[in-house]
Every structure is written in C-alpha cells, then in structure tokens.
Coordinates of all heavy atoms in Angstrom, one line a residue:
M1 N 133.3 107.8 91.8 CA 132.7 108.6 90.7 C 131.2 108.9 91.1 O 130.5 108.0 91.5 CB 132.7 107.8 89.4 CG 134.2 107.6 88.9 SD 134.3 106.6 87.5 CE 133.6 107.6 86.2
S2 N 130.8 110.1 90.9 CA 129.5 110.6 91.3 C 128.3 109.8 90.6 O 127.3 109.6 91.2 CB 129.4 112.1 91.1 OG 129.6 112.4 89.8
I3 N 128.5 109.5 89.4 CA 127.4 108.8 88.6 C 127.1 107.5 89.2 O 126.0 107.1 89.3 CB 127.8 108.7 87.1 CG1 126.6 108.2 86.4 CG2 129.0 107.8 86.9 CD1 126.8 108.3 84.9
F4 N 128.1 106.8 89.8 CA 127.8 105.5 90.4 C 127.2 105.6 91.7 O 126.3 104.8 92.1 CB 129.1 104.7 90.5 CG 129.6 104.2 89.2 CD1 130.8 104.7 88.7 CD2 128.9 103.3 88.4 CE1 131.3 104.2 87.4 CE2 129.3 102.9 87.2 CZ 130.5 103.4 86.7
K5 N 127.5 106.7 92.5 CA 126.9 106.9 93.8 C 125.4 107.3 93.5 O 124.6 106.9 94.3 CB 127.6 108.0 94.5 CG 128.9 107.6 95.1 CD 129.6 108.7 95.8 CE 130.9 108.2 96.4 NZ 131.8 109.3 96.9
H6 N 125.1 107.9 92.5 CA 123.7 108.3 92.1 C 123.0 107.0 91.8 O 121.8 106.8 92.3 CB 123.7 109.2 90.9 CG 122.4 109.8 90.6 ND1 121.6 110.5 91.5 CD2 121.6 109.6 89.6 CE1 120.5 110.8 91.0 NE2 120.4 110.3 89.8
N7 N 123.5 106.1 91.0 CA 122.9 104.9 90.7 C 122.6 104.0 92.0 O 121.6 103.3 92.1 CB 123.7 104.1 89.7 CG 123.6 104.6 88.3 OD1 122.6 105.2 88.0 ND2 124.5 104.3 87.5
K8 N 123.5 104.1 92.9 CA 123.4 103.3 94.1 C 122.2 103.7 94.9 O 121.6 102.9 95.6 CB 124.7 103.6 95.0 CG 125.0 102.5 96.0 CD 126.3 102.8 96.6 CE 126.7 101.7 97.6 NZ 128.0 102.0 98.2
L9 N 121.8 104.9 94.8 CA 120.6 105.4 95.5 C 119.4 104.9 94.8 O 118.3 104.7 95.5 CB 120.6 106.9 95.6 CG 121.8 107.5 96.5 CD1 121.8 109.0 96.4 CD2 121.6 107.1 98.0
K10 N 119.4 104.8 93.5 CA 118.2 104.5 92.8 C 117.9 103.0 92.7 O 116.8 102.6 92.7 CB 118.4 105.0 91.3 CG 118.3 106.5 91.3 CD 118.6 107.0 89.9 CE 117.5 106.7 88.9 NZ 117.8 107.2 87.6
I11 N 118.9 102.2 92.6 CA 118.7 100.7 92.6 C 119.1 100.1 93.9 O 120.1 100.4 94.5 CB 119.5 100.1 91.4 CG1 121.0 100.3 91.5 CG2 118.9 100.5 90.1 CD1 121.7 99.6 90.5
N12 N 118.2 99.3 94.4 CA 118.4 98.7 95.8 C 119.0 97.3 95.6 O 118.4 96.3 96.0 CB 117.0 98.7 96.5 CG 117.2 98.3 98.0 OD1 118.3 98.5 98.5 ND2 116.2 97.8 98.6
L13 N 120.1 97.3 95.0 CA 120.8 96.0 94.8 C 122.2 96.1 95.4 O 122.7 97.2 95.6 CB 120.9 95.7 93.3 CG 119.6 95.4 92.6 CD1 119.9 95.3 91.1 CD2 119.0 94.1 93.0
K14 N 122.7 94.9 95.8 CA 124.0 94.9 96.4 C 125.1 95.3 95.3 O 125.1 94.6 94.3 CB 124.3 93.6 97.0 CG 125.6 93.6 97.8 CD 125.9 92.2 98.4 CE 127.2 92.2 99.1 NZ 127.5 90.8 99.6
I15 N 125.8 96.3 95.6 CA 126.9 96.6 94.6 C 128.2 96.0 95.1 O 128.6 96.1 96.3 CB 127.0 98.2 94.6 CG1 125.7 98.8 94.3 CG2 128.1 98.6 93.6 CD1 125.4 99.1 92.9
I16 N 128.9 95.4 94.2 CA 130.2 94.8 94.5 C 131.3 95.8 94.1 O 131.1 96.6 93.2 CB 130.4 93.4 93.9 CG1 130.4 93.5 92.4 CG2 129.4 92.5 94.4 CD1 130.8 92.2 91.7
H17 N 132.4 95.6 94.7 CA 133.5 96.5 94.4 C 134.7 95.6 94.0 O 134.9 94.5 94.4 CB 133.9 97.3 95.7 CG 132.9 98.3 96.1 ND1 131.8 98.0 96.7 CD2 132.9 99.7 95.9 CE1 131.1 99.1 97.0 NE2 131.7 100.1 96.4
C18 N 135.5 96.2 93.1 CA 136.7 95.5 92.6 C 137.6 95.2 93.8 O 137.9 96.1 94.6 CB 137.4 96.4 91.6 SG 139.0 95.8 91.1
P19 N 138.1 94.0 93.9 CA 139.0 93.6 95.0 C 140.3 94.3 94.9 O 141.1 94.3 95.9 CB 139.1 92.1 94.9 CG 138.8 91.8 93.4 CD 137.8 92.8 93.0
K20 N 140.7 94.8 93.7 CA 142.0 95.4 93.6 C 142.0 96.9 93.7 O 142.8 97.5 94.4 CB 142.6 95.0 92.2 CG 143.2 93.6 92.2 CD 143.9 93.4 90.9 CE 144.7 92.1 90.9 NZ 145.4 91.8 89.7
C21 N 141.0 97.5 93.0 CA 141.1 99.0 93.0 C 139.8 99.6 93.7 O 139.7 100.8 93.8 CB 141.2 99.5 91.6 SG 139.7 99.3 90.6
N22 N 138.9 98.7 94.1 CA 137.7 99.2 94.9 C 136.7 100.0 94.0 O 135.9 100.7 94.5 CB 138.1 100.0 96.1 CG 137.0 99.8 97.2 OD1 136.5 98.8 97.4 ND2 136.8 100.9 97.9
E23 N 136.8 99.8 92.7 CA 135.9 100.5 91.8 C 134.5 99.8 91.9 O 134.4 98.6 92.0 CB 136.4 100.3 90.4 CG 135.5 100.9 89.3 CD 135.7 102.4 89.2 OE1 136.4 103.0 89.9 OE2 135.0 103.0 88.3
E24 N 133.5 100.6 92.0 CA 132.1 100.0 92.0 C 131.8 99.4 90.7 O 132.0 100.0 89.7 CB 131.1 101.1 92.3 CG 131.1 101.6 93.8 CD 130.0 102.5 94.1 OE1 129.1 102.7 93.2 OE2 130.0 103.1 95.2
Q25 N 131.2 98.2 90.8 CA 130.9 97.5 89.6 C 129.4 97.6 89.2 O 128.6 97.3 90.1 CB 131.2 96.0 89.7 CG 132.7 95.8 90.1 CD 133.7 96.3 89.1 OE1 133.5 96.0 87.9 NE2 134.7 97.0 89.5
P26 N 129.1 98.1 88.0 CA 127.7 98.2 87.6 C 127.0 96.9 87.6 O 127.6 95.9 87.1 CB 127.8 98.9 86.3 CG 129.1 98.6 85.8 CD 130.0 98.5 87.0
K27 N 125.7 96.9 88.0 CA 125.0 95.6 88.0 C 124.6 95.2 86.5 O 124.6 94.0 86.2 CB 123.7 95.8 88.8 CG 123.8 95.4 90.2 CD 124.0 93.9 90.3 CE 124.2 93.5 91.8 NZ 124.4 92.1 92.0
I28 N 124.4 96.2 85.7 CA 124.0 95.9 84.3 C 125.2 96.2 83.4 O 125.6 97.3 83.3 CB 122.8 96.8 83.9 CG1 121.6 96.5 84.9 CG2 122.4 96.5 82.5 CD1 120.4 97.4 84.7
R29 N 125.7 95.2 82.8 CA 126.8 95.3 82.0 C 126.9 94.2 81.0 O 126.2 93.2 81.2 CB 128.1 95.4 82.7 CG 128.7 94.1 83.2 CD 127.9 93.5 84.4 NE 128.4 92.2 84.8 CZ 128.1 91.1 84.3 NH1 127.3 91.0 83.2 NH2 128.5 89.9 84.8
K30 N 127.6 94.3 79.9 CA 127.8 93.2 79.0 C 128.8 92.2 79.5 O 129.9 92.6 79.9 CB 128.3 93.8 77.7 CG 127.3 94.5 76.8 CD 127.9 94.9 75.5 CE 126.9 95.6 74.6 NZ 127.6 96.1 73.4
P31 N 128.4 91.0 79.6 CA 129.3 89.9 80.0 C 130.5 89.9 79.0 O 130.4 90.0 77.8 CB 128.5 88.6 79.9 CG 127.1 89.1 80.0 CD 127.1 90.4 79.3
K32 N 131.7 89.7 79.6 CA 132.9 89.6 78.8 C 133.1 88.3 78.1 O 133.8 88.1 77.1 CB 134.1 89.9 79.7 CG 134.4 91.3 80.0 CD 134.9 92.1 78.8 CE 135.5 93.4 79.2 NZ 134.4 94.3 79.7
G33 N 132.3 87.3 78.6 CA 132.5 85.9 78.0 C 131.5 84.9 78.7 O 130.8 85.3 79.5
W34 N 131.6 83.7 78.2 CA 130.7 82.7 78.8 C 130.9 82.5 80.3 O 129.9 82.1 81.0 CB 130.8 81.4 78.0 CG 132.1 80.7 78.1 CD1 133.2 80.8 77.4 CD2 132.4 79.7 79.1 NE1 134.2 80.0 77.8 CE2 133.7 79.3 78.9 CE3 131.7 79.1 80.2 CZ2 134.4 78.4 79.7 CZ3 132.3 78.2 81.0 CH2 133.6 77.8 80.7
T35 N 132.1 82.7 80.8 CA 132.3 82.4 82.2 C 131.5 83.5 83.0 O 131.0 83.1 84.1 CB 133.8 82.5 82.5 OG1 134.3 83.7 82.0 CG2 134.6 81.3 82.0
E36 N 131.4 84.7 82.5 CA 130.7 85.7 83.2 C 129.2 85.5 83.1 O 128.4 85.7 84.0 CB 131.0 87.1 82.8 CG 132.4 87.4 83.2 CD 132.7 88.9 82.9 OE1 131.9 89.6 82.5 OE2 133.9 89.3 83.2
I37 N 128.7 84.9 82.0 CA 127.3 84.6 81.8 C 127.0 83.4 82.8 O 126.0 83.4 83.4 CB 127.1 84.1 80.4 CG1 127.3 85.3 79.4 CG2 125.6 83.6 80.2 CD1 127.3 84.9 78.0
L38 N 127.9 82.5 82.9 CA 127.7 81.3 83.7 C 127.8 81.6 85.2 O 126.9 81.2 86.0 CB 128.7 80.3 83.3 CG 128.5 78.8 83.8 CD1 127.2 78.3 83.1 CD2 129.6 77.9 83.5
W39 N 128.8 82.4 85.6 CA 129.0 82.6 87.0 C 128.5 84.0 87.5 O 128.4 84.2 88.7 CB 130.5 82.6 87.3 CG 131.1 81.2 87.1 CD1 131.8 80.8 86.0 CD2 131.0 80.1 87.9 NE1 132.1 79.5 86.1 CE2 131.7 79.0 87.3 CE3 130.4 79.8 89.2 CZ2 131.7 77.7 87.8 CZ3 130.5 78.6 89.7 CH2 131.2 77.5 89.1
G40 N 128.1 84.8 86.6 CA 127.6 86.1 87.0 C 128.6 87.0 87.5 O 128.4 87.9 88.3
G41 N 129.9 86.8 87.1 CA 131.0 87.6 87.5 C 131.1 88.9 86.8 O 130.2 89.3 86.0
N42 N 132.2 89.6 87.0 CA 132.3 90.9 86.4 C 133.8 91.1 86.1 O 134.7 90.4 86.7 CB 131.8 91.9 87.4 CG 131.3 93.2 86.6 OD1 131.5 93.3 85.4 ND2 130.7 94.0 87.4
T43 N 134.1 92.0 85.2 CA 135.4 92.4 84.9 C 135.5 93.9 85.1 O 134.7 94.7 84.6 CB 135.8 92.1 83.5 OG1 135.7 90.7 83.2 CG2 137.3 92.5 83.2
C44 N 136.4 94.3 86.0 CA 136.6 95.7 86.3 C 137.0 96.5 85.1 O 138.0 96.2 84.5 CB 137.6 95.9 87.5 SG 137.8 97.6 88.0
K45 N 136.2 97.6 84.8 CA 136.6 98.4 83.7 C 137.7 99.3 84.0 O 138.3 99.9 83.1 CB 135.3 99.2 83.2 CG 134.9 100.2 84.2 CD 133.7 100.9 83.6 CE 133.1 101.9 84.6 NZ 133.8 102.2 85.8
N46 N 138.0 99.4 85.3 CA 139.1 100.3 85.7 C 140.5 99.7 85.6 O 141.4 100.3 85.1 CB 138.8 100.8 87.1 CG 139.7 102.0 87.5 OD1 139.9 102.9 86.7 ND2 140.2 101.9 88.7
C47 N 140.6 98.5 86.1 CA 141.9 97.8 86.2 C 141.9 96.5 85.5 O 143.0 95.9 85.3 CB 142.4 97.7 87.6 SG 141.5 96.4 88.5
G48 N 140.7 96.0 85.0 CA 140.7 94.7 84.3 C 140.7 93.5 85.1 O 140.7 92.4 84.6
C49 N 140.6 93.7 86.4 CA 140.5 92.5 87.4 C 139.2 91.8 87.2 O 138.1 92.3 87.0 CB 140.6 93.0 88.8 SG 140.5 91.7 90.0
K50 N 139.3 90.4 87.2 CA 138.1 89.6 87.0 C 137.7 89.1 88.4 O 138.5 88.7 89.2 CB 138.4 88.4 86.1 CG 138.6 88.8 84.7 CD 138.9 87.7 83.8 CE 139.1 88.1 82.4 NZ 139.7 87.1 81.5
M51 N 136.4 89.2 88.6 CA 135.9 88.8 89.9 C 134.6 88.0 89.8 O 133.9 88.1 88.7 CB 135.6 90.0 90.8 CG 134.4 90.9 90.3 SD 134.5 92.6 90.8 CE 135.7 93.2 89.6
D52 N 134.2 87.3 90.8 CA 132.9 86.6 90.8 C 131.8 87.5 91.3 O 132.1 88.7 91.6 CB 133.0 85.3 91.6 CG 133.2 85.5 93.1 OD1 133.0 86.6 93.5 OD2 133.7 84.6 93.7
R53 N 130.6 87.0 91.4 CA 129.5 87.9 91.7 C 129.5 88.4 93.1 O 128.8 89.3 93.4 CB 128.2 87.1 91.4 CG 127.9 86.0 92.4 CD 126.5 85.5 92.2 NE 126.4 84.3 91.4 CZ 125.3 83.7 91.0 NH1 124.2 84.3 91.3 NH2 125.3 82.6 90.3
L54 N 130.3 87.8 93.9 CA 130.5 88.3 95.3 C 131.6 89.3 95.4 O 131.9 89.8 96.5 CB 130.7 87.1 96.2 CG 129.6 86.1 96.3 CD1 129.9 84.9 97.2 CD2 128.3 86.7 96.7
G55 N 132.3 89.5 94.3 CA 133.4 90.5 94.4 C 134.7 89.9 94.8 O 135.7 90.6 95.1
N56 N 134.8 88.6 94.7 CA 136.1 87.9 95.0 C 136.9 87.8 93.7 O 136.3 87.5 92.6 CB 135.9 86.5 95.6 CG 135.1 86.6 96.9 OD1 135.5 87.4 97.8 ND2 134.1 85.9 97.0
E57 N 138.2 88.0 93.8 CA 139.0 87.9 92.6 C 139.1 86.5 92.0 O 139.2 85.5 92.7 CB 140.4 88.4 92.9 CG 141.3 88.5 91.7 CD 142.7 89.0 92.0 OE1 142.9 89.3 93.2 OE2 143.5 89.1 91.1
R58 N 138.9 86.4 90.7 CA 139.0 85.2 90.0 C 140.3 85.1 89.2 O 140.8 86.1 88.7 CB 137.8 85.0 89.0 CG 136.6 84.5 89.7 CD 135.6 84.0 88.7 NE 135.1 85.1 87.9 CZ 135.1 85.1 86.5 NH1 135.7 84.2 85.9 NH2 134.6 86.1 85.9
E59 N 140.8 83.9 89.1 CA 142.1 83.7 88.3 C 141.8 83.7 86.8 O 142.6 84.1 86.0 CB 142.8 82.5 88.7 CG 143.5 82.6 90.1 CD 144.5 83.7 90.1 OE1 145.3 83.8 89.1 OE2 144.5 84.5 91.1
K60 N 140.7 83.0 86.4 CA 140.4 82.9 85.0 C 139.0 83.4 84.6 O 138.2 83.5 85.5 CB 140.5 81.5 84.5 CG 140.7 80.4 85.5 CD 140.9 79.0 84.9 CE 141.4 78.0 85.9 NZ 141.5 76.7 85.4
Ligands
ZN101 ZN1 139.5 97.3 89.5

C-alpha cells in the first residue's frame, strides 16, 4: 500500500512485516492487549496474525 511506503521514507525505524501475508506493520498502533504492551508485538490488521517485535509469528 502506497501510504505505508510513504511512511517508510519518513521514519527511520525498522519496519516488520507480517510472517503470513507480508503486510507492513505500522510502528505506532494501539496494543491489542497486555501481551503486546509487554512484548512489543503486533497484530496484523490484514490477516489477524500475531507476531513479536521481530516479526516472528506468536501462538498466543
Ligand atoms: Zn498478516
């Protein structure tokens, strides 16, 4: 999606991608729960896959 590519140029942070669908994950987002607050993980808004901060798929 073009909006994410634009953001990638503006912020010099490592962007992780969904391990399942390769969707770029935004750095700034609302944590889905305490596990994401604790581990800094993310939930893909495209397919719902949960991952850790390195972009590895998590089971819970
Ligand atoms: Zn995904």
Side-chain angles (χ1 to χ4, degrees):
M1 295 173 70
S2 57
I3 187 169
F4 289 115
K5 285 179 180 172
H6 187 62
N7 280 340
K8 200 173 182 178
L9 294 174
K10 287 173 69 177
I11 56 173
N12 192 22
L13 294 170
K14 185 181 178 185
I15 305 267
I16 62 171
H17 292 78
C18 175
K20 280 191 174 177
C21 71
N22 209 36
E23 177 84 356
E24 286 186 8
Q25 303 300 312
K27 269 291 181 181
I28 301 171
R29 80 287 179 274
K30 283 187 183 173
K32 281 285 195 295
W34 67 269
T35 48
E36 290 191 1
I37 296 170
L38 198 64
W39 295 101
N42 208 348
T43 302
C44 179
K45 67 180 177 9
N46 190 44
C47 72
C49 176
K50 291 177 180 170
M51 70 206 77
D52 64 21
R53 71 170 99 188
L54 298 176
N56 298 309
E57 186 176 358
R58 276 195 293 125
E59 287 300 318
K60 5 185 169 175

